[in-house]
Structures are given as structure tokens and as C-alpha cells.
Amino acid sequence: MPSGKITSVTEQTNQLQTAPSTGETKLANRANDYSQTVGNIRVDSPKMSMSNVDVFYGDKQAIFDVSLDIAKNEVIAMIGPSGCGKSTFLRCLNRMNDTIDICRVSGKILLEHEDIYDAKLDVVPLRARVGIVFQKPNPFPKSIYDNVAYGPRIHGLATSKVELDEIVETSLKRAGLWNEAKDRLDQPGTGLSGGQQQRLCIARTIAVSPEVILMDEPCSALDPIATARIEELIDELRSNYTIAIVTHSMQQAARVSNRTAYFHLGYLVEVGKTNDIFTNPNHKLTEDYITGRFG
Amino acid sequence: MSQTTIDIVNKNLAKRYAREKRFRLLGFGSVMIGFAALVFLLVTIVGDGWGAFKQSSVRLQLNFDQSVLSIEDVADEEQWQYGNYIGVIKAALRERFPEMTSRAQKKLIYRVVSPGADHQVRQLLKKNPEWLGSRQEVWLPADDDIDSFVKGHVDRSLPESDRRIKDTQIVLVDALQESGDLKLKFNTLLFTAGDSREPEQAGIRGALVGSFLTLLVTLSLSFPIGVAAALYLEEFAPKNRFTDVIEVNINNLAAVPSIVFGLLGLAVFLNVFGLPRSVPLLGGIVLTLMTLPTIIISSRAALKAVPPSIKEAALGLGASKMQVIFHHVLPLALPGMLTGAIIGMAQALGETAPLLMIGMVAFIVDVPGSLTDPATVLPVQIFLWSDSPERAFIERTSGAIMVLLTFLITMNAIAVLLRKRFERRW
């Protein structure tokens, strides 16, 4: 399925490059104006809803006035050149930026109508609801079993050993690691290959049954085969979870996401259905990026 | 034809290689100087100290006569305690050398055996009360002058007036050696006795126990305090001017001469808080002050070495800060912290100066039994012995240094092993 989509994207972009449409001039005029997001940022029943989010690192502003909704059970991809703030934005969604002292976030981020930056909100249950998978696989230096069981253990999700075993098994099965790992559950998670480690990290995240999974370039440290496995996995997970994925690979965004958001220098330039973004981008910068003129 | 580039390069090549060779030789030479110094140190110490582990002992037939011992009432503890054990030894010596009859000669034969040997005899009789009234064969430590002579430290050809051992005694020693009644035996007293003015009666037991008790206090205070301080500074403290000042001062504290900590202990703990002087408790507190910076700095380094990705992973799963620290950060940092603690303890074990200031330099014979008993420590014991005039203390000083070095090397080896064993690459 994914490969078919890719060729269509490239075909389309080639067409855009070779045969400039009448819209080209209109796009060019807007090339230097990206403070207004193009496309529909709102959805009908948002799982998460961000309004006017600014992020500062000390005096430096990294995110400028970004508003965006994430719909229930959708996969939204965030793309853009390096340093455009997409990872920073993603990390705001479960307040991972709290760990950086100089980082300051303003604006509103709602998780089902609840402001997650509310002073009274506890980040511990928030992060149980909004899980995150990082760029580099980072299993704990513990056994595979303990890696997956860690989240359920600290939240007290399992009342008995049997129940915990069950959670570990289903999580590993969902992450597509069960067959490879079932005979070596007591061996260290750090002994797995890179792709297996990343799937272990995904299993660890879904063991807590979060509502939203954030993925920060989950495949950038993996080879193409491991990447394909993870992408298949994302495809399977979308029926149960809401997923926000940051990626450097446009093909990956095209393959796995329903909607795509394009970031540029801290601004959300354009957002829309993935198919539309890749076949008929409205903004000149988006077009330049997906056709490979920069980035 | 003019020179090509390669000709010029080749011309300079020899010069470049020569420079490299000189530099390598210089480095090798520096290493060899350090190595030679180490070998010289070890050879002199072991050469001097080896003899301390051997002690000349004299075999005597002791007659545990109740009347000589003046133990009339067997049930009276005090009579056992204050019995005339010297009399028994003297009687045995007179018996062994019946030809020595004059007062002066008798005085000389009495000086063959250590003047503190009555203590050993009392201990023996205490252990074997059935010996009372019987004759027993017993090995007793020889006097340090006899011991030095047996070990060959005295030149026989010197005129008698220049020797501490007299001609008559040499005859006695020769006779004893011939009959097998004078032998070099393993010096158990060195490890079982406390300090003494008599070299042959002096041991390091008191200093060892003192060192152990002092280090126990130091470890149990400095490790928890140091780790807690490091954890707070690394994980909780806000990064502001105040914590910067604290950090700079901890680093400064690590460079403060140790005697200053001794003065502090004297001024604060002795004079203000009125702690008893020259006790392991006080020594341990003073050494805690000294080792704290070491432990804090190494613990912080160990905490810094824990990859942030592990912390983020745990935080991302919804672990609280305490859970992140106790489930992930501490277990990963612990080997590094322990390494720092062991190195800090090794430093504390070898420390002398601050302990001099709080009175642990006193001459203490008894082996300390608690944290508040007067005690001394191994390096101070070495300092005290090195100051003693008796010839036999020279080898005991080196012997004690060997024991101290053994402990230090063992501790450092454990630290290295620990680091190797738990070293992680990310």
C-alpha cells in the first residue's frame, strides 16, 4: 500500500515543477509571509486543541503563535526543515519541555477541554494519558519484561502478577515484538537491535494505555526495514490511539498520516489532509519543501 | 632543475621524525622516573619493614610455683592479676644460665627477655589455669636489643662500649641459638597488641581498630550526606547565583589543606560542643568534613553521566521525579558514587594532620572498644613510631606502612574493579 502512494506523490510534485499552474504566482507572493497558517486548523471533535502557543528558550522564541487541533484516532504528521520547532511543539503536548529549565510555554493546550498547562494540573497523570516515543530508542537498562512493566507498575495498573504478565504480553504483541522477545523476556532490553529497541519503547508506551501517543522522529535512527515495521505498527495503532508524529521523511509522513502540518522557523505554515498537502500545497514554502528545493 | 615539492618534503622528513622520536623518549623518560620513584619507595619500605613481621623469641622452662607467683588463694582474682610473673621469668633465666652468679651478670641475663614479657605469661596462665604449680615450656619475646642483634643490625666488631648489647649477652645469645632456644618467629604481637614503649611489645591492633572505627563514622556520615547533597544540587536545585556559589565553594573545599579541618574540629567540636578529645567519633566527624567534597564531586559526576534519555523515558511514562531518581538515576549512578566514596575513604585512612589537632596523637596502649574510647589511627601510629629512638621501631614503622599501603591499595583496587564492572557505554 505505501509504495503506491509514494509514486503518486512524486508524480504530482514533478507535475508541479514542470508545468507551473496558474496558482504559482499566487503562491510566490506569499513566500515571505508565513505568519498566518494556511488550511483548516480546527476539526470537529478534537482530542487535543492548541491555541496561540508560543514557546521560548530563554529569550529566544522557538514557536510563534501556533494553533492546531488533533482529531481523535488520527495520525497527524509534523514535517519541516531542521530547527523549525516541530519537536519542540510535540514535546509541549505532554509537557516534556518542563524538564528544560529555560523553556517557557504560553498559550492554551487542551486535552479534551482540560488545559494541560493549568497550574493545578499534575503532569504525572497527564503523561500517563499522553505517552511519548523518542527519536533514539531508549530502553531502560533492565530486562525486556521490566521495561514494559515499568509504566503499569508505577501507576498500579495491574493488581496481580498474572494481570501484569497479560499487560506485558498484549503490549509486546501490539508492538509486534512478542514473537521475537517472548523467549528472552528476562534479558536486558539494551541487548536488542535498534529497531527492536524502538518497538520495545513503543510497547512500553502503550503498556500504560495512553490516549495520545507522541512520536518524535521514531525512525530516524533505524534502517529501512526496521522503519517499515514501525510504520506498519503505526498503521495498526491508529484504530485505538491518537498519534502525533514528527518526521524528517516526507515519504513517511505521506505513508502513515491522515493530516500533515508543515512547520517553518517556528511557524505553522500549512496544515491539511496529507493527500492535499503532498499533491496540492497551497503555500509556496510547503511546496518548496516537499519538492525538495530546501530542507 | 629546481627542487620539486616531494624533494623538499623528503628533506624535512628526517627532521620531523627525529622530533617525534625525541618527544616520545621524553614521555617515556618521565614515566620511568615516576616508576623508579615508586620502585625505590616500595623496595626501601619492604626492605626495612620485612623484619617487623619476625620477632626473636626465647624458649624458657617456666615454673609456675604458687609461692613465687604469690598466688596463695586460687579463688582470688586480684592475686592472679598481680602475681609475680617477672619472678617466674627471672627464676627460669637463672636456671637456664646457672653459671651467671654475680649481680651484674644476673642483670644482663634478665635483659634477654622483653621486660614486658610478664604480661604474656599472665595471659598464658589465665588461658591455662591448670598450669599453676607445674613446669611449662614457653616461648617469650626477646628484648628489642637482642632482637636487633639476632637480625644482624648490630656489628659484633664494634667495641663493647659502642654497643647496646654487651659481650656477655652475645655469649648468651650464641648459646641460646645453638641449643635452639632462640628463634625468629612470626611476630603475632604486631597484630594483637596495642602501642607500647617496648618495641617488641608494640603492635598496630589499637591503631587498626581506631582507624576502622574512625572510618566507620566517616563513611556513615559522609556517604549519605554527600549523596544527598549531590542529588539535590544535580536534580532539584534551581540554577541560580546561589547554587553557583555553593558549587564553587564545594570545589574550593576540596582543595583546603587538611590541617585546617583539624583546626576547625578543635575549635568547633572540642571547644564549642565539648566532644571528648582523641576519640574515633570526633576523628570521624573531622574526616567527614574533609571527604565530603570528594564524595559530592564524584557523586555529581556520576549523576551527570546518567543519560538524559533514560530520565526522559521514565518521565514520559508518567514517573514522578522521585520515581525517576530512585528507580533509574540512583541505580545507574551508584557504582560511580561508591567509587568516589571508596577513594574518599582511602584518603581519610591515610590522613594524619587533622587528627593531630584533635588529640589523636596521644600514646594509647589500650585497643579502643567503642567510638568514645581514646584511640589513634594507623598513619598517626606510623608518625609516632617514626619519632621513637629505639632501633627496633625503624622496622616496625616500615612494617606499619606496609600494612597501611596494603589497605590503601586494596581499597583503590576495589574502586577500580567496581568502575570496570559497572562501566556502561551508551
Side-chain angles (χ1 to χ4, degrees), chain B residues 287-334:
Chain B
L287 291 180
T288 298
L289 296 178
M290 207 199 72
T291 46
L292 256 183
T294 313
I295 294 186
I296 293 177
I297 290 169
S298 65
S299 296
R300 290 189 68 178
L303 287 170
K304 275 203 183 91
V306 174
S309 66
I310 296 292
K311 282 192 247 178
E312 285 199 325
L315 281 173
L317 283 172
S320 68
K321 197 151 197 180
M322 282 299 277
Q323 286 172 326
V324 174
I325 288 171
F326 282 95
H327 296 166
H328 302 284
V329 177
L330 260 190
L332 292 176
L334 207 57

Side-chain angles (χ1 to χ4, degrees), chain B residues 335 339 342 410-423:
Chain B
T339 309
I342 294 174
T410 312
M411 285 168 87
N412 283 322
I414 292 172
V416 170
L417 280 178
L418 210 67
R419 195 157 33 195
K420 277 243 155 67
R421 172 85 176 70
F422 290 99
E423 199 173 43

Side-chain angles (χ1 to χ4, degrees), chain A residues 91 94 96 99 101 124 127-128 130-132 134 138-142 150-151 154-155 204-205 208, chain B residues 237-239 309-321 323-324 327-328 331-332 424 426:
Chain A
R91 289 165 60 98
N94 73 343
M96 280 311 284
T99 55
D101 283 331
V124 166
R127 288 180 186 146
V130 185
I132 186 163
F134 296 91
N138 55 353
F140 299 129
K142 300 170 186 265
Y150 183 69
I154 55 170
H155 295 300
R204 182 174 67 185
T205 304
V208 195
Chain B
K239 301 275 173 283
S309 66
I310 296 292
K311 282 192 247 178
E312 285 199 325
L315 281 173
L317 283 172
S320 68
K321 197 151 197 180
Q323 286 172 326
V324 174
H327 296 166
H328 302 284
L332 292 176
R424 275 174 200 280
W426 302 93

Side-chain angles (χ1 to χ4, degrees), chain B residues 45 48-50 52-53 190 204 385 394-404:
Chain B
I45 287 176
D48 278 351
W50 198 243
F53 298 99
L190 187 66
I204 55 171
W385 279 356
I394 294 174
E395 58 183 25
R396 275 168 178 78
T397 305
S398 293
I401 291 174
M402 282 164 71
V403 174
L404 181 63

Side-chain angles (χ1 to χ4, degrees), chain B residues 49-258:
Chain B
W50 198 243
F53 298 99
K54 297 262 185 207
Q55 165 68 34
S56 313
S57 297
V58 182
R59 181 163 58 191
L60 289 177
Q61 305 286 334
L62 292 190
N63 185 8
F64 291 97
D65 190 336
Q66 259 177 284
S67 61
V68 179
L69 282 168
S70 59
I71 303 179
E72 273 107 42
D73 182 4
V74 186
D76 190 354
E77 282 280 324
E78 205 155 291
Q79 289 192 3
W80 286 76
Q81 188 66 26
Y82 296 106
N84 183 15
Y85 298 98
I86 294 180
V88 172
I89 297 169
K90 283 183 176 171
L93 283 164
R94 282 196 303 270
E95 201 179 315
R96 178 69 179 76
F97 301 107
E99 66 278 12
M100 303 285 174
T101 46
S102 75
R103 233 180 109 81
Q105 282 175 327
K106 276 182 187 166
K107 228 176 168 176
L108 283 177
I109 62 166
Y110 295 157
R111 272 168 47 189
V112 167
V113 170
S114 164
D118 56 317
H119 181 65
Q120 273 86 43
V121 176
R122 187 197 299 127
Q123 296 289 331
L124 279 170
L125 192 59
K126 216 177 197 171
K127 229 165 69 186
N128 312 291
E130 71 277 6
W131 283 8
L132 197 63
S134 70
R135 288 179 72 89
Q136 297 292 339
E137 195 181 273
V138 166
W139 286 93
L140 292 175
D143 187 74
D144 57 317
D145 291 332
I146 304 292
D147 186 46
S148 293
F149 176 75
V150 171
K151 283 172 181 165
H153 297 319
V154 180
D155 188 359
R156 271 174 198 250
S157 56
L158 281 175
E160 189 180 13
S161 56
D162 287 1
R163 282 189 255 114
R164 282 179 64 85
I165 181 163
K166 302 299 159 206
D167 285 343
T168 327
Q169 283 176 304
I170 291 180
V171 173
L172 295 177
V173 168
D174 287 343
L176 281 168
Q177 273 183 314
E178 202 153 302
S179 62
D181 289 331
L182 181 67
K183 273 184 184 163
L184 278 175
K185 297 191 137 199
F186 180 71
N187 189 2
T188 43
L189 269 180
L190 187 66
F191 297 98
T192 56
D195 199 8
S196 170
R197 290 280 181 240
E198 301 295 333
E200 69 277 5
Q201 296 285 344
I204 55 171
R205 177 79 177 274
L208 268 181
V209 174
S211 273
F212 174 77
L213 292 174
T214 307
L215 282 192
L216 199 71
V217 174
T218 308
L219 184 66
S220 50
L221 284 177
S222 64
F223 191 62
I225 296 176
V227 168
L231 264 179
Y232 176 76
L233 287 174
E234 239 1 90
E235 304 288 337
F236 293 101
K239 301 275 173 283
N240 56 26
R241 174 107 11 121
F242 181 65
T243 45
D244 282 351
V245 168
I246 289 182
E247 184 165 348
V248 168
N249 276 303
I250 288 173
N251 291 333
N252 282 342
L253 226 49
V256 168
S258 55

